[in-house]
Amino acid sequence: MMFHIIENDIARLDALFASSKRIAITTHTRPDGDALGSTTALMVFLRSFYNVDTKVVMPNAISQNIAFILPSNADNLYLDFTNDPDEVKDWMNSSDLVVCLDFNSFSRTDGLQPLLEASKAPKVLVDHHLNPDEEAFDIVFSTPDISSASELLYEVLMAMPQVNGDATKLPKECSYALMSGMTTDTNNFANSVYPSTLKMASDLLAAGVDRNDIVSHVYNEYRENRIRLIGYLLDRKLVTTSYGVAYTILRREEQERFDLQEGDLEGFVNIPLQVADVKYSLYLREDNDFFRVSVRSKAGYSANALASRYFHGGGHEQASGGRLFFPQDISSPSEAETYVENILKDYFDEDR
Ligand code: 5GP
Ligand code: MN
């Protein structure tokens, strides 16, 4: 089903943008390509068409692998809470409008959460996750039936009076960021592609966006250790089970051995789904006092159910994430494998 943008919401949004002096644009923790693409696109759009000062406020740093999305002259336009909490607080407290992109609840923003909760400014949501916390926002654009927050923002911007359905009117760096966010969230058109997604890609391509440039930044600029570590994980660490679930647990010592950095294993969790019998893939990466968990599933199987039931998380039906805490959920990190085996028994044997 197509998502319909409500005209009245666009008129209200335009009025809010026009009457604001300062706008804070925020997104989820550990921003990915869609988070950076959508926030960047909105910032460029606002700076081009409104007399407003606006910054993107990130819960934490932008990782190197998505930095190609940043516009020129990006200095000072992005704030990072972990790096500069005071400046972030000032910006949040002095903004007349807050726009939230690519997350469904303030709890997904780590250190920004208390600032968002305390903020009296009107709030706008543009998101594509399940179960949005609608009461927290004044205007909500949200549907899970779309590729990405970047695609949904594209629909919103196309409906704005400055653009009026003509993608060539979008500023260049805005279009580039939107195409980048959509490309990363669909894993280059492998997942969550709708007719509207291809229409967006087609219109942006016609408007001059350099898609080859985006694809080579996303897929051909990894560090060598990525493919070596993937080789090691697939050969030595991947476990497949009779439930059609594959899981991979990456311990801290292995991350150090391979000098793993943020973003190096982006997309790894999808690989085990290439096996015919594998319906779900789980990837657990040890952090300070928890494992970061990524869950993916084939159509007809719910990654979201596993992530929300057993890992305090959620996300999308086929792509979700969460955390496994120690010592709360498991007494020590070495118990992760037993935990996974037990939840699989619980999920597949006991209740169906
Ligand atoms: P990834 O596996 O790429 O980190 O995340 C996949 C999806 O799951 C993303 O859409 C993300 O929003 C969601 N997700 C990841 N981690 C968490 C989490 O800790 N809590 C919730 N609610 N969602 C998460
Ligand atoms: Mn997204």
Side-chain angles (χ1 to χ4, degrees):
M1 203 197 64
M2 261 290 286
F3 178 72
H4 287 288
I5 303 277
I6 300 167
E7 252 173 65
N8 185 40
D9 285 342
I10 295 294
R12 288 169 64 206
L13 192 62
D14 180 38
L16 277 175
F17 287 162
S19 63
S20 297
K21 291 201 173 59
R22 258 188 191 197
I23 299 180
I25 302 173
T26 67
T27 190
H28 61 78
T29 185
R30 296 172 62 247
D32 58 6
D34 191 29
L36 182 60
S38 57
T39 53
T40 296
L42 181 60
M43 180 176 67
V44 172
F45 182 88
L46 289 173
R47 288 184 167 271
S48 303
F49 292 124
Y50 295 88
N51 184 17
V52 65
D53 199 1
T54 178
K55 292 191 184 192
V56 174
V57 179
M58 295 287 188
N60 36 46
I62 296 165
S63 73
Q64 196 46 45
N65 62 316
I66 53 171
F68 73 91
I69 297 171
L70 294 171
S72 49
N73 309 319
D75 289 359
N76 260 326
L77 298 182
Y78 294 80
L79 301 177
D80 161 9
F81 182 80
T82 50
N83 192 45
D84 205 342
D86 292 336
E87 207 179 339
V88 165
K89 275 176 208 155
D90 281 352
W91 193 265
M92 291 295 291
N93 291 336
S94 61
S95 288
D96 340 274
L97 178 67
V98 178
V99 185
C100 298
L101 292 159
D102 200 31
F103 66 86
N104 55 1
S105 136
F106 294 161
S107 63
R108 292 279 296 131
T109 64
D110 280 355
L112 300 183
Q113 181 174 1
L115 303 177
L116 285 165
E117 283 166 355
S119 159
K120 301 260 189 309
K123 291 180 197 68
V124 176
L125 177 70
V126 181
D127 180 50
H128 68 129
H129 291 88
L130 298 165
N131 314 315
D133 187 4
E134 301 205 10
E135 297 79 67
F137 300 93
D138 300 275
I139 306 180
V140 173
F141 299 95
S142 171
T143 174
D145 298 325
I146 202 159
S147 66
S148 52
S150 295
E151 185 186 334
L152 186 50
L153 179 65
Y154 169 80
E155 295 292 343
V156 169
L157 299 185
M158 287 287 277
M160 296 293 283
Q162 300 86 350
V163 180
N164 199 17
D166 179 357
T168 65
K169 299 236 167 76
L170 292 168
K172 280 250 165 310
E173 293 180 319
C174 169
S175 308
Y176 183 88
L178 292 170
M179 186 83 114
S180 300
M182 178 275 289
T183 301
T184 56
D185 246 31
T186 60
N187 190 14
N188 203 15
F189 300 99
N191 317 306
S192 312
V193 172
Y194 294 80
S196 57
T197 314
L198 296 176
K199 179 82 169 62
M200 165 190 176
S202 172
D203 290 347
L204 289 180
L205 206 52
V209 172
D210 188 348
R211 210 186 89 80
N212 292 334
D213 179 66
I214 293 170
V215 169
S216 77
H217 278 303
V218 177
Y219 297 103
N220 298 328
E221 285 183 2
Y222 290 111
R223 298 192 310 142
E224 176 176 340
N225 71 334
R226 166 187 169 89
I227 56 170
R228 296 202 182 276
L229 178 52
I230 288 176
Y232 163 80
L233 290 175
L234 293 177
D235 186 33
R236 313 280 291 278
K237 300 299 302 283
L238 178 70
V239 179
T240 55
T241 68
S242 56
Y243 301 113
V245 178
Y247 65 88
T248 313
I249 299 173
L250 180 62
R251 298 296 306 276
R252 177 170 284 280
E253 170 277 315
E254 296 163 317
Q255 296 172 39
E256 285 160 10
R257 181 145 43 97
F258 283 87
D259 182 32
L260 187 75
Q261 289 173 16
E262 194 68 43
D264 280 343
L265 278 189
E266 194 65 45
F268 166 76
V269 64
N270 296 300
I271 298 176
L273 290 179
Q274 293 174 12
V275 178
D277 290 340
V278 172
K279 313 299 183 196
Y280 300 83
S281 170
L282 275 64
Y283 163 56
L284 286 75
R285 173 183 165 185
E286 184 179 346
D287 207 312
N288 291 332
D289 49 7
F290 59 89
F291 282 88
R292 212 175 274 301
V293 184
S294 286
V295 190
R296 299 290 185 274
S297 61
K298 285 181 177 160
Y301 303 90
S302 178
N304 182 62
L306 288 182
S308 55
R309 231 185 260 196
Y310 302 112
F311 299 107
H312 316 280
H316 312 285
E317 203 50 28
Q318 259 80 61
S320 280
R323 291 178 183 194
L324 179 65
F325 295 93
F326 42 88
Q328 295 88 337
D329 300 320
I330 50 177
S331 54
S332 79
S334 60
E335 298 295 305
E337 177 153 6
T338 310
Y339 183 88
V340 171
E341 291 288 344
N342 286 338
I343 65 159
L344 296 182
K345 283 197 199 88
D346 179 71
Y347 189 73
F348 293 99
D349 292 342
E350 278 154 41
D351 73 31
R352 52 221 60 209

